[in-house]
Amino acid sequence: MKIPHLLILFRLLLAPLIIFFAYQLGDASRILILILMFLGLISDIFDGIIARKQQISTVGLRRMDSQVDMVFWLAIGVSCFILNPELMKMHKAGIVALLGMEALCYIISFIRFGKETCTHAFLSKIWGIILFIACVSLIGFEYAGLPMQLMIYWGIFSQLDVILIVLLLPQWQNDIPSSYHARLIRKGIPIKKHKLLNG
């Protein structure tokens, strides 16, 4: 098994551990979960870099990376709810809307192409950073406020971009930077992908 696969597997194994620690240890787990979350983020950054370096950045690997990312961050979200139920309930409508948009992306993609989305779009990458900051704020400082609001609004915004990508693409593709690039592909115009961020 190659290093990128091991890093993805590592992140997948972190998901149930994070929920377990939040449930069993409560507030005592906060620092530990922050450390695991940081390690998960580092693994997410380096699995793609190493895969491209080793020239094994296949479609299958990219799809696996995308789905494990979703599982990992859902686990972080569950731990946030376990540790900060009142704060999470205050933003219930936004969180439900965000999860609904995520589900809608998958539904539309499955209807159109028979498989899940795997765009790794720029707006989604920015949202990943905002999501990390919001979770650090919640878990580390028990504060929602602006980080949570920004996470919800940018998340919905980035999911709209993904939906547009899926609707515009003439056939399923991975690593599409934005809906603008998807529009170019639909017109038959070649696009350039950043080697560090896409494909």
Side-chain angles (χ1 to χ4, degrees):
M1 191 176 285
K2 303 287 187 179
I3 292 175
H5 295 90
L6 290 172
L7 289 173
I8 293 172
L9 177 61
F10 169 70
R11 196 157 64 256
L12 179 62
L13 294 175
L14 285 181
L17 273 179
I18 286 169
I19 295 174
F20 174 79
F21 288 139
Y23 184 75
Q24 291 294 328
L25 303 178
D27 284 341
S29 69
R30 290 182 183 273
I31 298 300
L32 178 57
I33 290 175
L34 287 176
I35 292 170
L36 295 180
M37 187 169 67
F38 178 76
L39 291 175
L41 180 65
I42 293 298
S43 76
D44 189 24
I45 292 170
F46 281 99
D47 62 17
I49 293 173
I50 295 171
R52 286 186 286 273
K53 192 81 172 177
Q54 295 181 341
Q55 297 184 330
I56 58 169
S57 185
T58 63
V59 172
L61 184 69
R62 297 297 281 168
R63 289 177 69 183
M64 186 190 308
D65 174 62
S66 183
Q67 300 316 302
V68 169
D69 280 350
M70 183 182 67
V71 172
F72 175 76
W73 286 108
L74 280 174
I76 296 292
V78 171
S79 71
C80 286
F81 185 82
I82 292 171
L83 297 174
N84 305 282
E86 295 306 317
L87 287 176
M88 295 294 280
K89 286 176 183 176
M90 287 173 60
H91 298 274
K92 180 180 177 181
I95 293 170
V96 169
L98 185 56
L99 292 173
M101 288 295 293
E102 179 76 25
L104 187 60
C105 288
Y106 275 78
I107 291 169
I108 293 173
S109 185
F110 271 105
I111 289 173
R112 286 216 66 205
F113 305 120
K115 60 180 73 174
E116 80 288 350
T117 62
C118 184
T119 60
H120 292 100
F122 289 153
L123 293 181
S124 296
K125 289 180 182 294
I126 294 171
W127 182 64
I129 296 171
I130 297 170
L131 177 61
F132 178 79
I133 292 170
C135 290
V136 168
S137 179
L138 274 168
I139 297 170
F141 301 96
E142 300 181 60
Y143 174 74
L146 182 60
M148 174 65 88
Q149 292 175 10
L150 186 58
M151 185 272 289
I152 290 170
Y153 292 133
W154 192 276
I156 293 172
F157 178 53
S158 67
Q159 293 296 355
L160 283 171
D161 184 54
V162 173
I163 288 172
L164 281 174
I165 291 172
V166 173
L167 292 174
L168 287 169
L169 284 177
Q171 59 186 19
W172 188 93
Q173 290 186 48
N174 62 297
D175 298 329
I176 306 300
S178 70
S179 53
Y180 168 75
H181 293 83
R183 186 167 175 270
L184 293 179
I185 292 171
R186 188 180 184 88
K187 290 183 174 182
I189 301 172
I191 66 170
K192 186 175 181 181
K193 298 179 183 180
H194 195 291
K195 63 180 181 180
L196 291 178
L197 297 177
N198 293 96

